[in-house]
Amino acid sequence: MSHISYNKQWQDAQLAMADMLAIETPAQPRAPETDINAAFQLVATMFVKYVQIFRKLEQCYDQVVHPQKRRLIRVVLDGCMGRLLELKHEMITMDYSEYHYFDDILADLKLTPNDLEIPIPNYFVLERAQAIEKRERLLGQILARMTLDNEKPDGTTTMSIDDAIRIVQTHERARQGRLRAKQIRDLRLNDQRARQRANMGDSKMDRGLAATIIQKYYRRHVVQKEAKKFRDEEYMFLGMAMPTFHKDPLKRLHAEVRAHEDERRKRQEKHEINYQQSLIATREKIKQTEGPDMKERLQDQIRQWFIECRNVSKKFPDFPDEDDGGSNKIFEKKTVAEVQADLEAKMESKGKKGKGDKKGKKGKKKKEKKGKKGKKGKKKKKGDDDEGWTLPESEFVTGMIKPSTETYQNFWETRDETHNFEQNYDSEIVKEEKRSEVVEEIRVEVDALMREELKNLKAAIDKTKEKKKKKKKKKKKKKKKKKEKDLTPDRTIESLYEELVMNRIIIRPPKVTLNDFIGDFNYLPSLIRQAKHEPMPTMSDAKQLTALYGILPLGSEKVHEIAPQIKGLLICGPKGCGKHMLLHAICNELGANLFDISPKNIFETYREKEGIKMLMHLCSKVGKALQPTIIFIDDCDKLWKKKLKPEEKQFEPKRLGKALPKWLKLIKPGDRVLLVGITNEPYQGTVKPMMKVFPRCILLPRPEYGTRLLLWKTLIPKYNGIITPSLDVTSLAKLSDTYSSGHIHDTIVEVLTERRLAKMAKHPLQASDFITGLAHRNPIYKDEETAFKSWWKKTPTGKKHERFLEEQESGEGDGKGKKDKKKGGKGKGKKGKKGKKKK
């Protein structure tokens, strides 16, 4: 794509964003929505539309070369990202469910489920590429040093006599076996040649007859091949046979696209360097050429103001303080008399402020007491809280999206760039930006000079000495905040990092991305809900939640400061469903550090109460210094398990569980640290303390038919297998119904050995090759699925969701998961008794 295509895509995104702003900030206030379903539909539609805008903006920011355009796109991109997180949080507060389905909205907007996939911005890693590379180099050096320390100094290893004899015997038997095999092969070849000579005899065939026989067999082979090809094409067209998958047919095209994108990123870096150099050069040039004139003009204007003020009030005015804006206060759209009156009023208020403070405080306290007494007697009416739902205001919309959209509409939308084919920076914009900076810098210098000049004028003409004003420091009542005590004040971050690596707390995650996590969509969840059943989430839903909970909030500093904060994330599901894969994908997409503080991992190094305290301090100090950071606990259900097994007690997991809530309170907005727990059996732990530490949860189900079919189709070619019509993939997807994604992956790796791949030309793959491997693995039984569902209903979010569904069916309550307690007979009786007592 050329820069024209990306400009058109940016234009489309901005037009869609303007439509969203019309919904977000209407000209007239929107009436509160009393129907919770209609309100949820509005928020869900906005979420889907923001996802489409986010996809376009992310691609534009990644590929647009113009440095000034990229800065504006970045602001809108971060605002759109933050608004997505806010809308997701709003949907959760409405129906108390982590998973939401938009199939009806997609049908109305004529979109496909693939359009709902949330991309991960590339700038999360690319803009920190040097820091990540430096950290990886340091980590590699420490790990290499660890391996060298574990080896013996001389590098030699001792072997027992029995092992040496066993190795010699093995090699000798292999040598003898090869010799015998060669002898037998030679004997067979000799026998075969002797039989051929006996059958042929001395008679020779005519050349014409021999050629005719060869032609007959060859033509028959060609016709059979063409007929088979025609039949296979017809079956594939009718959907009766699967196409043959070798390697990715679009692999070459994808490689060309990636090469083109990398080339554009190199151009981005080149244009950015030129832009930064121009900023410095333009500033210096403006300061040298226009600076003296600016300074002289400002001085003349301020002197003229002195004269006008003296003519009006017969004395020189007071110069505004720098905190109040300095000379900018003078040049506001006010008359000389108004400016002088403002300054005098300010001086009078400063004098009276000390006297009136005490009286004002006493009056406030009395009013507060009266207000409290009055509030006790009043009771809320039934309809006071049920006014309806209104769309909450967003700082992302008002502070980031709206100003950037206005800048685009006022400047870039109508700008002609036909002459700027290379998409270099715009020098006129640079001059305007730097001119305003230079003006401000010169203004500060001129203000200091003019204050001295005004002081001299007052002393000479008005014959008054300016009294030195003592700046009264405003005493602010500071709330005492609990700060984490630094247990390692004399140590550097590098030394602490090395210690954590040596103790195997900081580990290197495998190279996995979120796109490697394979999952299909749920295409008909609305029909399932119409049948009064709650649809099970799919792998695609879990993938989307991983992006919304684990990646997008931590990727951008500005987004993390404003967006709803998520400190803990629980990933649970049966064995082999991809929990660790999602964890590693989060780390790689962010370029984050991975800390493993599982009880088994920290048992030997950080024991007892003091050890846990030191570990949490190190994780906090190093994690905040090298953020973003992912802190991971495996088998986290054991931290709150009621009855531990003897082999589990030795690791003392409950000690870590008690320390986590206090440690999470030390994580403030701006600290890009996320605690991730992984468990196969969440129902073994106590629900309340576990969900207090992990308020957000991603429940991974066993893969449904669509995901299983996609797994077989994707993984077999990945490991050099060929899917031919003889391999019935649909049957494999049905047979692997109760198996997890990990079971399917391990079976494919086990079957597609080098020996089997060598035989594939003569013996194509069949479904029976994989059935044996699947049969040796333990499936996911219904009892386990039922346990997960019942556990989910016991969680705080699950309870509220069940109550919400009950109210939706019965039509009672406010539709927010809270029952109307005023309607019960017992409530009325209690109120009646209270009323009698008062009488």
Side-chain angles (χ1 to χ4, degrees), residues 148-175:
L148 289 173
D149 292 341
N150 292 334
E151 291 179 0
K152 288 192 174 183
D154 54 355
T156 58
T157 55
T158 56
M159 183 185 295
S160 63
I161 296 174
D162 294 338
D163 292 339
I165 292 170
R166 196 177 297 110
I167 289 171
V168 171
Q169 287 177 345
T170 302
H171 285 278
E172 178 60 23
R173 287 167 184 163
R175 187 187 67 80

PDB file of all heavy atoms in Angstrom, residues 148-175:
ATOM      1  N   LEU A 148      27.752 -22.302  33.168  1.00  0.00           N
ATOM      2  CA  LEU A 148      29.181 -22.546  33.364  1.00  0.00           C
ATOM      3  C   LEU A 148      29.501 -22.871  34.812  1.00  0.00           C
ATOM      4  O   LEU A 148      30.347 -23.715  35.111  1.00  0.00           O
ATOM      5  CB  LEU A 148      29.989 -21.318  32.921  1.00  0.00           C
ATOM      6  CG  LEU A 148      30.041 -21.053  31.407  1.00  0.00           C
ATOM      7  CD1 LEU A 148      30.711 -19.719  31.138  1.00  0.00           C
ATOM      8  CD2 LEU A 148      30.779 -22.179  30.692  1.00  0.00           C
ATOM      9  N   ASP A 149      28.832 -22.203  35.748  1.00  0.00           N
ATOM     10  CA  ASP A 149      29.072 -22.462  37.168  1.00  0.00           C
ATOM     11  C   ASP A 149      28.621 -23.858  37.567  1.00  0.00           C
ATOM     12  O   ASP A 149      29.210 -24.494  38.451  1.00  0.00           O
ATOM     13  CB  ASP A 149      28.334 -21.435  38.029  1.00  0.00           C
ATOM     14  CG  ASP A 149      28.926 -20.044  37.857  1.00  0.00           C
ATOM     15  OD1 ASP A 149      30.075 -19.956  37.378  1.00  0.00           O
ATOM     16  OD2 ASP A 149      28.231 -19.052  38.195  1.00  0.00           O
ATOM     17  N   ASN A 150      27.558 -24.340  36.927  1.00  0.00           N
ATOM     18  CA  ASN A 150      27.038 -25.666  37.270  1.00  0.00           C
ATOM     19  C   ASN A 150      27.920 -26.781  36.747  1.00  0.00           C
ATOM     20  O   ASN A 150      27.912 -27.894  37.270  1.00  0.00           O
ATOM     21  CB  ASN A 150      25.619 -25.835  36.709  1.00  0.00           C
ATOM     22  CG  ASN A 150      24.629 -24.935  37.420  1.00  0.00           C
ATOM     23  OD1 ASN A 150      24.839 -24.559  38.568  1.00  0.00           O
ATOM     24  ND2 ASN A 150      23.551 -24.584  36.738  1.00  0.00           N
ATOM     25  N   GLU A 151      28.706 -26.483  35.666  1.00  0.00           N
ATOM     26  CA  GLU A 151      29.598 -27.498  35.118  1.00  0.00           C
ATOM     27  C   GLU A 151      30.868 -27.596  35.970  1.00  0.00           C
ATOM     28  O   GLU A 151      31.194 -26.704  36.751  1.00  0.00           O
ATOM     29  CB  GLU A 151      29.973 -27.151  33.681  1.00  0.00           C
ATOM     30  CG  GLU A 151      28.801 -27.272  32.715  1.00  0.00           C
ATOM     31  CD  GLU A 151      29.211 -26.889  31.310  1.00  0.00           C
ATOM     32  OE1 GLU A 151      30.394 -26.544  31.132  1.00  0.00           O
ATOM     33  OE2 GLU A 151      28.355 -26.946  30.415  1.00  0.00           O
ATOM     34  N   LYS A 152      31.624 -28.671  35.752  1.00  0.00           N
ATOM     35  CA  LYS A 152      32.875 -28.870  36.490  1.00  0.00           C
ATOM     36  C   LYS A 152      33.964 -27.967  35.915  1.00  0.00           C
ATOM     37  O   LYS A 152      33.938 -27.627  34.735  1.00  0.00           O
ATOM     38  CB  LYS A 152      33.316 -30.328  36.394  1.00  0.00           C
ATOM     39  CG  LYS A 152      32.431 -31.251  37.212  1.00  0.00           C
ATOM     40  CD  LYS A 152      33.088 -32.607  37.321  1.00  0.00           C
ATOM     41  CE  LYS A 152      32.289 -33.511  38.264  1.00  0.00           C
ATOM     42  NZ  LYS A 152      32.930 -34.806  38.439  1.00  0.00           N
ATOM     43  N   PRO A 153      34.950 -27.559  36.730  1.00  0.00           N
ATOM     44  CA  PRO A 153      35.993 -26.635  36.230  1.00  0.00           C
ATOM     45  C   PRO A 153      36.759 -27.201  35.049  1.00  0.00           C
ATOM     46  O   PRO A 153      37.057 -26.487  34.113  1.00  0.00           O
ATOM     47  CB  PRO A 153      36.907 -26.440  37.448  1.00  0.00           C
ATOM     48  CG  PRO A 153      36.068 -26.797  38.637  1.00  0.00           C
ATOM     49  CD  PRO A 153      35.106 -27.843  38.160  1.00  0.00           C
ATOM     50  N   ASP A 154      37.141 -28.514  35.088  1.00  0.00           N
ATOM     51  CA  ASP A 154      37.925 -29.075  34.001  1.00  0.00           C
ATOM     52  C   ASP A 154      37.065 -29.492  32.819  1.00  0.00           C
ATOM     53  O   ASP A 154      37.591 -29.825  31.752  1.00  0.00           O
ATOM     54  CB  ASP A 154      38.730 -30.284  34.498  1.00  0.00           C
ATOM     55  CG  ASP A 154      37.824 -31.317  35.159  1.00  0.00           C
ATOM     56  OD1 ASP A 154      36.607 -31.038  35.313  1.00  0.00           O
ATOM     57  OD2 ASP A 154      38.329 -32.391  35.504  1.00  0.00           O
ATOM     58  N   GLY A 155      35.744 -29.492  32.984  1.00  0.00           N
ATOM     59  CA  GLY A 155      34.857 -29.833  31.882  1.00  0.00           C
ATOM     60  C   GLY A 155      34.746 -31.325  31.602  1.00  0.00           C
ATOM     61  O   GLY A 155      34.094 -31.726  30.644  1.00  0.00           O
ATOM     62  N   THR A 156      35.422 -32.193  32.397  1.00  0.00           N
ATOM     63  CA  THR A 156      35.372 -33.639  32.174  1.00  0.00           C
ATOM     64  C   THR A 156      34.296 -34.259  33.046  1.00  0.00           C
ATOM     65  O   THR A 156      33.960 -33.753  34.107  1.00  0.00           O
ATOM     66  CB  THR A 156      36.730 -34.270  32.515  1.00  0.00           C
ATOM     67  OG1 THR A 156      37.030 -33.965  33.878  1.00  0.00           O
ATOM     68  CG2 THR A 156      37.816 -33.723  31.605  1.00  0.00           C
ATOM     69  N   THR A 157      33.775 -35.395  32.566  1.00  0.00           N
ATOM     70  CA  THR A 157      32.764 -36.135  33.322  1.00  0.00           C
ATOM     71  C   THR A 157      33.234 -37.581  33.458  1.00  0.00           C
ATOM     72  O   THR A 157      33.848 -38.134  32.544  1.00  0.00           O
ATOM     73  CB  THR A 157      31.406 -36.108  32.605  1.00  0.00           C
ATOM     74  OG1 THR A 157      31.577 -36.595  31.271  1.00  0.00           O
ATOM     75  CG2 THR A 157      30.844 -34.693  32.573  1.00  0.00           C
ATOM     76  N   THR A 158      32.991 -38.182  34.593  1.00  0.00           N
ATOM     77  CA  THR A 158      33.406 -39.568  34.830  1.00  0.00           C
ATOM     78  C   THR A 158      32.292 -40.513  34.416  1.00  0.00           C
ATOM     79  O   THR A 158      31.103 -40.194  34.532  1.00  0.00           O
ATOM     80  CB  THR A 158      33.715 -39.773  36.319  1.00  0.00           C
ATOM     81  OG1 THR A 158      32.564 -39.408  37.082  1.00  0.00           O
ATOM     82  CG2 THR A 158      34.894 -38.908  36.741  1.00  0.00           C
ATOM     83  N   MET A 159      32.671 -41.693  33.946  1.00  0.00           N
ATOM     84  CA  MET A 159      31.714 -42.711  33.515  1.00  0.00           C
ATOM     85  C   MET A 159      32.071 -44.019  34.205  1.00  0.00           C
ATOM     86  O   MET A 159      33.250 -44.390  34.307  1.00  0.00           O
ATOM     87  CB  MET A 159      31.781 -42.872  31.990  1.00  0.00           C
ATOM     88  CG  MET A 159      30.764 -43.859  31.426  1.00  0.00           C
ATOM     89  SD  MET A 159      30.976 -44.123  29.660  1.00  0.00           S
ATOM     90  CE  MET A 159      30.592 -42.500  29.018  1.00  0.00           C
ATOM     91  N   SER A 160      31.066 -44.722  34.639  1.00  0.00           N
ATOM     92  CA  SER A 160      31.314 -46.007  35.299  1.00  0.00           C
ATOM     93  C   SER A 160      31.712 -47.061  34.269  1.00  0.00           C
ATOM     94  O   SER A 160      31.453 -46.914  33.068  1.00  0.00           O
ATOM     95  CB  SER A 160      30.058 -46.448  36.052  1.00  0.00           C
ATOM     96  OG  SER A 160      28.996 -46.661  35.141  1.00  0.00           O
ATOM     97  N   ILE A 161      32.323 -48.156  34.760  1.00  0.00           N
ATOM     98  CA  ILE A 161      32.782 -49.231  33.857  1.00  0.00           C
ATOM     99  C   ILE A 161      31.590 -49.914  33.202  1.00  0.00           C
ATOM    100  O   ILE A 161      31.628 -50.267  32.009  1.00  0.00           O
ATOM    101  CB  ILE A 161      33.632 -50.253  34.653  1.00  0.00           C
ATOM    102  CG1 ILE A 161      34.904 -49.558  35.167  1.00  0.00           C
ATOM    103  CG2 ILE A 161      33.998 -51.443  33.780  1.00  0.00           C
ATOM    104  CD1 ILE A 161      35.741 -50.417  36.077  1.00  0.00           C
ATOM    105  N   ASP A 162      30.498 -50.096  33.953  1.00  0.00           N
ATOM    106  CA  ASP A 162      29.306 -50.746  33.373  1.00  0.00           C
ATOM    107  C   ASP A 162      28.725 -49.929  32.228  1.00  0.00           C
ATOM    108  O   ASP A 162      28.341 -50.483  31.186  1.00  0.00           O
ATOM    109  CB  ASP A 162      28.251 -50.928  34.465  1.00  0.00           C
ATOM    110  CG  ASP A 162      28.700 -51.906  35.539  1.00  0.00           C
ATOM    111  OD1 ASP A 162      29.588 -52.731  35.237  1.00  0.00           O
ATOM    112  OD2 ASP A 162      28.177 -51.843  36.666  1.00  0.00           O
ATOM    113  N   ASP A 163      28.682 -48.617  32.405  1.00  0.00           N
ATOM    114  CA  ASP A 163      28.165 -47.768  31.327  1.00  0.00           C
ATOM    115  C   ASP A 163      29.062 -47.832  30.096  1.00  0.00           C
ATOM    116  O   ASP A 163      28.576 -47.875  28.953  1.00  0.00           O
ATOM    117  CB  ASP A 163      28.060 -46.312  31.809  1.00  0.00           C
ATOM    118  CG  ASP A 163      26.987 -46.141  32.875  1.00  0.00           C
ATOM    119  OD1 ASP A 163      26.085 -47.016  32.947  1.00  0.00           O
ATOM    120  OD2 ASP A 163      27.034 -45.145  33.634  1.00  0.00           O
ATOM    121  N   ALA A 164      30.379 -47.851  30.316  1.00  0.00           N
ATOM    122  CA  ALA A 164      31.308 -47.911  29.178  1.00  0.00           C
ATOM    123  C   ALA A 164      31.155 -49.235  28.425  1.00  0.00           C
ATOM    124  O   ALA A 164      31.126 -49.255  27.183  1.00  0.00           O
ATOM    125  CB  ALA A 164      32.742 -47.751  29.682  1.00  0.00           C
ATOM    126  N   ILE A 165      31.027 -50.347  29.173  1.00  0.00           N
ATOM    127  CA  ILE A 165      30.853 -51.656  28.522  1.00  0.00           C
ATOM    128  C   ILE A 165      29.554 -51.687  27.736  1.00  0.00           C
ATOM    129  O   ILE A 165      29.483 -52.216  26.610  1.00  0.00           O
ATOM    130  CB  ILE A 165      30.896 -52.779  29.580  1.00  0.00           C
ATOM    131  CG1 ILE A 165      32.309 -52.882  30.180  1.00  0.00           C
ATOM    132  CG2 ILE A 165      30.461 -54.115  28.983  1.00  0.00           C
ATOM    133  CD1 ILE A 165      32.399 -53.788  31.387  1.00  0.00           C
ATOM    134  N   ARG A 166      28.484 -51.120  28.332  1.00  0.00           N
ATOM    135  CA  ARG A 166      27.176 -51.125  27.660  1.00  0.00           C
ATOM    136  C   ARG A 166      27.231 -50.345  26.347  1.00  0.00           C
ATOM    137  O   ARG A 166      26.673 -50.774  25.326  1.00  0.00           O
ATOM    138  CB  ARG A 166      26.125 -50.528  28.602  1.00  0.00           C
ATOM    139  CG  ARG A 166      24.692 -50.832  28.166  1.00  0.00           C
ATOM    140  CD  ARG A 166      23.688 -50.289  29.164  1.00  0.00           C
ATOM    141  NE  ARG A 166      23.817 -50.928  30.471  1.00  0.00           N
ATOM    142  CZ  ARG A 166      24.267 -50.353  31.581  1.00  0.00           C
ATOM    143  NH1 ARG A 166      24.638 -49.087  31.561  1.00  0.00           N
ATOM    144  NH2 ARG A 166      24.339 -51.019  32.722  1.00  0.00           N
ATOM    145  N   ILE A 167      27.944 -49.219  26.335  1.00  0.00           N
ATOM    146  CA  ILE A 167      28.047 -48.417  25.103  1.00  0.00           C
ATOM    147  C   ILE A 167      28.839 -49.181  24.037  1.00  0.00           C
ATOM    148  O   ILE A 167      28.460 -49.203  22.854  1.00  0.00           O
ATOM    149  CB  ILE A 167      28.710 -47.063  25.421  1.00  0.00           C
ATOM    150  CG1 ILE A 167      27.739 -46.178  26.245  1.00  0.00           C
ATOM    151  CG2 ILE A 167      29.098 -46.327  24.141  1.00  0.00           C
ATOM    152  CD1 ILE A 167      28.385 -44.921  26.790  1.00  0.00           C
ATOM    153  N   VAL A 168      29.956 -49.805  24.450  1.00  0.00           N
ATOM    154  CA  VAL A 168      30.768 -50.566  23.486  1.00  0.00           C
ATOM    155  C   VAL A 168      29.955 -51.715  22.891  1.00  0.00           C
ATOM    156  O   VAL A 168      29.984 -51.984  21.673  1.00  0.00           O
ATOM    157  CB  VAL A 168      32.046 -51.093  24.167  1.00  0.00           C
ATOM    158  CG1 VAL A 168      32.784 -52.055  23.242  1.00  0.00           C
ATOM    159  CG2 VAL A 168      32.960 -49.930  24.555  1.00  0.00           C
ATOM    160  N   GLN A 169      29.198 -52.435  23.744  1.00  0.00           N
ATOM    161  CA  GLN A 169      28.377 -53.542  23.250  1.00  0.00           C
ATOM    162  C   GLN A 169      27.298 -53.056  22.270  1.00  0.00           C
ATOM    163  O   GLN A 169      27.058 -53.697  21.245  1.00  0.00           O
ATOM    164  CB  GLN A 169      27.698 -54.237  24.439  1.00  0.00           C
ATOM    165  CG  GLN A 169      28.635 -55.080  25.289  1.00  0.00           C
ATOM    166  CD  GLN A 169      27.934 -55.673  26.492  1.00  0.00           C
ATOM    167  OE1 GLN A 169      26.838 -55.241  26.854  1.00  0.00           O
ATOM    168  NE2 GLN A 169      28.578 -56.640  27.140  1.00  0.00           N
ATOM    169  N   THR A 170      26.694 -51.939  22.580  1.00  0.00           N
ATOM    170  CA  THR A 170      25.649 -51.400  21.698  1.00  0.00           C
ATOM    171  C   THR A 170      26.211 -51.099  20.320  1.00  0.00           C
ATOM    172  O   THR A 170      25.619 -51.466  19.290  1.00  0.00           O
ATOM    173  CB  THR A 170      25.054 -50.124  22.319  1.00  0.00           C
ATOM    174  OG1 THR A 170      24.534 -50.428  23.611  1.00  0.00           O
ATOM    175  CG2 THR A 170      23.922 -49.580  21.456  1.00  0.00           C
ATOM    176  N   HIS A 171      27.354 -50.443  20.274  1.00  0.00           N
ATOM    177  CA  HIS A 171      27.946 -50.095  18.977  1.00  0.00           C
ATOM    178  C   HIS A 171      28.408 -51.335  18.212  1.00  0.00           C
ATOM    179  O   HIS A 171      28.287 -51.391  16.971  1.00  0.00           O
ATOM    180  CB  HIS A 171      29.121 -49.134  19.192  1.00  0.00           C
ATOM    181  CG  HIS A 171      28.681 -47.726  19.518  1.00  0.00           C
ATOM    182  ND1 HIS A 171      28.306 -46.825  18.554  1.00  0.00           N
ATOM    183  CD2 HIS A 171      28.548 -47.076  20.701  1.00  0.00           C
ATOM    184  CE1 HIS A 171      27.970 -45.670  19.128  1.00  0.00           C
ATOM    185  NE2 HIS A 171      28.105 -45.813  20.435  1.00  0.00           N
ATOM    186  N   GLU A 172      28.944 -52.312  18.924  1.00  0.00           N
ATOM    187  CA  GLU A 172      29.401 -53.529  18.249  1.00  0.00           C
ATOM    188  C   GLU A 172      28.225 -54.301  17.646  1.00  0.00           C
ATOM    189  O   GLU A 172      28.299 -54.801  16.521  1.00  0.00           O
ATOM    190  CB  GLU A 172      30.169 -54.401  19.243  1.00  0.00           C
ATOM    191  CG  GLU A 172      30.662 -55.721  18.689  1.00  0.00           C
ATOM    192  CD  GLU A 172      31.605 -55.541  17.512  1.00  0.00           C
ATOM    193  OE1 GLU A 172      32.221 -54.449  17.383  1.00  0.00           O
ATOM    194  OE2 GLU A 172      31.712 -56.471  16.681  1.00  0.00           O
ATOM    195  N   ARG A 173      27.117 -54.411  18.414  1.00  0.00           N
ATOM    196  CA  ARG A 173      25.929 -55.097  17.884  1.00  0.00           C
ATOM    197  C   ARG A 173      25.359 -54.352  16.675  1.00  0.00           C
ATOM    198  O   ARG A 173      24.896 -54.986  15.712  1.00  0.00           O
ATOM    199  CB  ARG A 173      24.865 -55.209  18.969  1.00  0.00           C
ATOM    200  CG  ARG A 173      25.211 -56.241  20.040  1.00  0.00           C
ATOM    201  CD  ARG A 173      24.307 -56.109  21.243  1.00  0.00           C
ATOM    202  NE  ARG A 173      24.694 -57.022  22.310  1.00  0.00           N
ATOM    203  CZ  ARG A 173      24.301 -56.912  23.573  1.00  0.00           C
ATOM    204  NH1 ARG A 173      23.500 -55.890  23.931  1.00  0.00           N
ATOM    205  NH2 ARG A 173      24.688 -57.786  24.475  1.00  0.00           N
ATOM    206  N   ALA A 174      25.399 -53.031  16.727  1.00  0.00           N
ATOM    207  CA  ALA A 174      24.906 -52.264  15.581  1.00  0.00           C
ATOM    208  C   ALA A 174      25.771 -52.500  14.351  1.00  0.00           C
ATOM    209  O   ALA A 174      25.260 -52.642  13.226  1.00  0.00           O
ATOM    210  CB  ALA A 174      24.892 -50.773  15.939  1.00  0.00           C
ATOM    211  N   ARG A 175      27.102 -52.598  14.549  1.00  0.00           N
ATOM    212  CA  ARG A 175      28.002 -52.848  13.411  1.00  0.00           C
ATOM    213  C   ARG A 175      27.733 -54.214  12.786  1.00  0.00           C
ATOM    214  O   ARG A 175      27.656 -54.353  11.566  1.00  0.00           O
ATOM    215  CB  ARG A 175      29.457 -52.745  13.884  1.00  0.00           C
ATOM    216  CG  ARG A 175      30.489 -52.826  12.775  1.00  0.00           C
ATOM    217  CD  ARG A 175      31.879 -52.892  13.341  1.00  0.00           C
ATOM    218  NE  ARG A 175      32.113 -54.144  14.051  1.00  0.00           N
ATOM    219  CZ  ARG A 175      32.414 -55.294  13.453  1.00  0.00           C
ATOM    220  NH1 ARG A 175      32.534 -55.366  12.145  1.00  0.00           N
ATOM    221  NH2 ARG A 175      32.611 -56.374  14.172  1.00  0.00           N
TER     222      ARG A 175
END
